[in-house]
Amino acid sequence: MTAAAEEDKTGLLASLKNPIFRPAFLASQLSSLGWLMQTVALSWLMATLATSDVMVALVQAASTLPTFFLAIFVGAIADSYNRRMVMIVGRTLMMAASAMLVVLMALGVTNPWIILAFSFLDGCGIALADPAWRASLGDMLERRHLPSAVTLLNVGFNTVRSVGPALGGFIVAAFGSLVTFALTTLGCVAPLSSVWRNKWKVPCSTLPRETLMTAIYDGLRCTAISSEIMTTIARGTMFGLGSTSILALLLLIARDQLKAGPVAYGILMAGFGAGALVAGLTNPRLMRTLTQERMFVLACAACAFSLALTSSLAIATASLALGGAGWVTAWSGLGVNVQLASPRWVVGRTISIYSAFTYVGIAAGSWIWGVIAENHSLSWAFGASAGASLFVAALGLKLPISNRSESELEPSSAFDAPAIALDLKPRSGPMLITTEYSISDDNADLFLNVMRRRRHVQSRVGARQWTLTRDVREPSRWLETYRTPTWTDYQRLHHRLTTADKQLDEELLNLSAATHPPRTSILIERPAGPERRVGPPEPHFFHK
């Protein structure tokens, strides 16, 4: 295959050839444009109604806080329910919030608390729809197109962010806040109708749906035991904290450093967006020649050096273009890594947790660099921010980002539950699973190496309280045990195993004594009461 043909299949625009993804992507960009315009209008309206600067700042906080506080809940919902329907509910909530705001504005019923309430409601809709939308990328597209799709989303949003506030400010100044809110409401119709009209194939399970608390627990546990996802979250959070000064203090650069006004601010934002666009177009080619870690280090360096202070608008714009390129490259690489390192059954939860922590990093960085700029100077703030960005790059020596090109965590095939002698219900439990191995002393070290991998695999897919014990009187006898809350959870655990996971069974069989193959028992716990039982005891376990 020629290089041109390969780039055509994996380039930035390759995912747009998908007839389901294309309209959903374009509609989401229109919705993002409307949301940015509405944020400007809400902030301006709050500034005219309230005298407190805190109330103005709370407009932005009210719309972003739900993303953090509801992250794990909406992630569990995205994984447990039909993601398309979750997107429809989230988009409907966003449109309802904008429409109700239009009605109240038309009736003249406005006050600061109403503005905050509808900003929060709109944020709840975004928090609900966004994880389902990002998790659905793997359902809409082939896995090889995920990197270009994630990059395209980042490029699109940063491009829209470059023009959205300016366009919102112009519409508010020319036509008023009411017209801006009305246009935002109309902008919500496009993504809602796109998701409603287009249906895509979603893998479905024959098992009952997980309870919300179990889904949350499984999502947190799977994220915590995955070194790849935890590394991505840590580096993403710190990158957000270190590099967010580029955007957080951009207005101060235009006002205090360049001694200019809104036009210069718009030019700087355009420079940032142009850099992001160029980086997005070249990103697929770079991913074929550089590792994710090297790309991330270059992105951190680009963001650090883009913070150089200058009194020249041209130099500042060029520096911001470098920052925009680094910004998109870093977030695209991190987003791709989370997608590919996450099993499909938990991807909504891992994306939500990752998004929540990166939002915290960005919010904390905006506050920290703002405080330093206010109490010291812009030079101090940008110098410290550049140092933080370079520190995040150096962290790769200890916490390198994996270089995944595709996911290896796809479930293998359906699991046929073993025949059972008891009348178990889906919620029967707790279950205790034991597997006995007969291992010679010569194979003991190899056995322990395999069991270390097995513990990680079993814990990732839902095993709880996993242990490995050895018989002190018969050293060749080893016992693996773990628990699941219910009979359904035991079956769900096996449905989540990949082909590579199941190959561990073959390795363990080869290490076991030929005359004593591994023997698994599945037991159900029963309370031991003081009452006396009449007749023979009920059997509580069986073998397979």
Side-chain angles (χ1 to χ4, degrees):
M1 183 179 292
T2 65
E6 179 67 22
E7 184 167 352
D8 183 62
K9 289 191 174 184
T10 60
L12 179 66
L13 304 180
S15 54
L16 288 179
K17 296 180 180 179
N18 185 292
I20 296 177
F21 173 77
R22 183 175 59 251
F25 166 76
L26 296 175
S28 70
Q29 299 310 299
L30 181 61
S31 177
S32 297
L33 179 64
W35 177 74
L36 290 166
M37 290 166 48
Q38 178 172 274
T39 301
V40 171
L42 286 172
S43 299
W44 181 259
L45 183 61
M46 179 67 82
T48 62
L49 295 176
T51 57
S52 171
D53 293 340
V54 175
M55 294 296 288
V56 177
L58 283 177
V59 172
Q60 186 72 22
S63 61
T64 55
L65 280 177
T67 301
F68 175 71
F69 288 109
L70 302 178
I72 187 59
F73 296 98
V74 297
I77 291 172
D79 286 330
S80 301
Y81 293 84
N82 185 296
R83 288 170 182 155
R84 176 174 165 271
M85 295 307 300
V86 174
M87 291 171 62
I88 289 175
V89 172
R91 294 292 184 183
T92 301
L93 185 60
M94 294 169 61
M95 187 172 69
S98 297
M100 292 170 66
L101 195 57
V102 170
V103 172
L104 291 176
M105 278 285 295
L107 296 176
V109 182
T110 54
N111 64 62
W113 294 108
I114 287 179
I115 294 174
L116 290 181
F118 282 103
S119 295
F120 182 82
L121 189 62
D122 190 52
C124 289
I126 295 173
L128 185 61
D130 192 61
W133 160 232
R134 293 183 180 272
S136 295
L137 296 181
D139 301 328
M140 297 178 181
L141 301 165
E142 297 180 31
R143 302 297 276 175
R144 61 176 178 165
H145 289 155
L146 270 181
S148 64
V150 174
T151 302
L152 192 62
L153 289 178
N154 282 285
V155 171
F157 181 74
N158 282 283
T159 302
V160 168
R161 180 163 55 184
S162 300
V163 300
L167 181 60
F170 171 77
I171 294 176
V172 169
F175 305 103
S177 298
L178 179 61
V179 174
T180 308
F181 296 146
L183 291 175
T184 301
T185 303
L186 293 176
C188 292
V189 175
L192 182 59
S193 61
S194 174
V195 176
W196 183 268
R197 287 185 289 104
N198 293 292
K199 297 182 180 180
W200 53 91
K201 185 178 179 180
V202 179
C204 57
S205 174
T206 57
L207 298 175
R209 184 180 294 119
E210 283 184 286
T211 63
L212 184 61
M213 294 310 298
T214 300
I216 291 173
Y217 179 86
D218 285 351
L220 291 172
R221 185 190 59 245
C222 183
T223 301
I225 68 177
S226 172
S227 58
E228 291 182 67
I229 297 176
M230 289 299 292
T231 296
T232 303
I233 291 175
R235 299 286 293 280
T237 302
M238 298 192 68
F239 176 76
L241 188 149
S243 64
T244 190
S245 59
I246 299 175
L247 295 175
L249 303 180
L250 191 57
L251 183 59
L252 297 181
I253 294 177
R255 187 190 67 184
D256 301 337
Q257 191 67 27
L258 302 178
K259 308 298 182 183
V263 175
Y265 177 69
I267 293 174
L268 293 175
M269 284 294 296
F272 183 89
L277 180 60
V278 172
L281 292 173
T282 59
N283 197 54
R285 184 177 302 173
L286 289 175
M287 291 179 67
R288 290 195 293 270
T289 58
L290 298 175
T291 63
Q292 289 281 13
E293 179 59 36
R294 287 193 175 185
M295 289 182 63
F296 187 78
V297 169
L298 290 175
C300 292
C303 289
F305 289 112
S306 72
L307 301 174
L309 291 178
T310 176
S311 57
S312 168
L313 178 61
I315 296 176
T317 303
S319 298
L320 262 296
L322 185 66
W327 183 269
V328 163
T329 300
W331 289 125
S332 298
L334 293 170
V336 169
N337 209 57
V338 171
Q339 286 267 4
L340 296 182
S342 301
R344 294 303 306 163
W345 58 269
V346 76
V347 66
R349 282 160 281 185
T350 55
I351 289 175
S352 295
I353 295 171
Y354 161 76
S355 299
F357 276 93
T358 53
Y359 265 104
V360 169
I362 292 173
S366 300
W367 177 76
I368 290 172
W369 309 131
V371 169
I372 294 177
E374 181 178 3
N375 294 321
H376 297 280
S377 66
L378 275 176
S379 300
W380 272 85
F382 284 139
S385 180
S389 296
L390 293 176
F391 173 74
V392 175
L395 270 182
L397 298 174
K398 287 292 185 181
L399 297 173
I401 297 174
S402 63
N403 194 43
R404 279 184 180 269
S405 58
E406 60 182 27
S407 175
E408 302 168 355
L409 299 173
E410 296 296 328
S412 58
S413 59
F415 168 70
D416 294 325
I420 56 177
L422 296 180
D423 183 22
L424 296 184
K425 307 301 181 185
R427 297 185 63 82
S428 296
M431 308 301 298
L432 174 66
I433 295 85
T434 66
T435 303
E436 183 177 329
Y437 303 92
S438 181
I439 307 296
S440 65
D441 289 341
D442 294 338
N443 289 335
D445 289 339
L446 292 174
F447 173 75
L448 287 173
N449 287 333
V450 175
M451 294 307 284
R452 290 188 187 98
R453 287 184 285 150
R454 186 172 176 87
R455 176 182 183 177
H456 177 80
V457 166
Q458 297 287 70
S459 299
R460 187 192 73 227
V461 296
R464 303 188 185 187
Q465 302 174 30
W466 189 98
T467 59
L468 178 65
T469 54
R470 190 178 191 182
D471 194 325
V472 297
R473 294 186 298 176
E474 189 180 345
S476 64
R477 181 173 177 266
W478 297 77
L479 192 66
E480 173 196 8
T481 63
Y482 64 88
R483 298 172 184 272
T484 63
T486 66
W487 170 239
T488 298
D489 290 318
Y490 167 76
Q491 298 179 72
R492 185 176 286 116
L493 179 151
H494 285 274
H495 276 278
R496 293 169 176 173
L497 292 173
T498 67
T499 301
D501 297 338
K502 293 182 178 180
Q503 287 176 354
L504 294 178
D505 292 335
E506 295 296 325
E507 295 185 43
L508 292 170
L509 179 62
N510 293 333
L511 292 173
S512 301
T515 56
H516 295 86
R519 186 187 184 199
T520 298
S521 299
I522 306 173
L523 302 92
I524 183 170
E525 293 185 9
R526 286 290 184 261
E531 65 271 13
R532 186 176 180 179
R533 183 181 297 273
V534 179
E538 178 185 359
H540 289 161
F541 69 92
F542 58 94
H543 301 290
K544 70 171 184 179

